[in-house]
Amino acid sequence: MTGRTPIRQAMALLSTPHRAVIYRAYYLDRSTAQIAAEYRITESAVRAELHDAMKALQRIVASPGPSGRSEFLAH
């Protein structure tokens, strides 16, 4: 594993839209209203995208690596 944290590694595997919405919501601490205004979409669309992004991140983190165990959770 490189010097990157497991979550950063998992984030790098997400699609650009999923990574962007998670970054805005959790790293920049933006509200769904703020993100909706930035993207010019509804807040419900932001919530849906954020939900999908977090599910994708969860699948990546929980997915088994070559050893049959999650390579992210093992560290």
Side-chain angles (χ1 to χ4, degrees), residues 5-65:
T5 65
I7 294 299
R8 283 184 97 178
Q9 287 180 320
M11 286 281 292
L13 298 174
L14 289 173
S15 69
T16 300
H18 282 167
R19 192 170 43 252
V21 74
I22 289 173
Y23 179 78
R24 282 174 172 75
Y26 295 103
Y27 290 91
L28 298 180
D29 199 29
R30 299 242 169 86
S31 68
T32 55
Q34 290 170 317
I35 297 168
E38 287 177 27
Y39 285 131
R40 295 186 172 129
I41 59 176
T42 65
E43 280 188 70
S44 61
V46 172
R47 286 192 297 273
E49 184 68 22
L50 190 55
H51 174 80
D52 292 346
M54 293 302 290
K55 285 296 211 180
L57 185 61
Q58 184 180 35
R59 279 191 303 272
I60 290 168
V61 170
S63 67

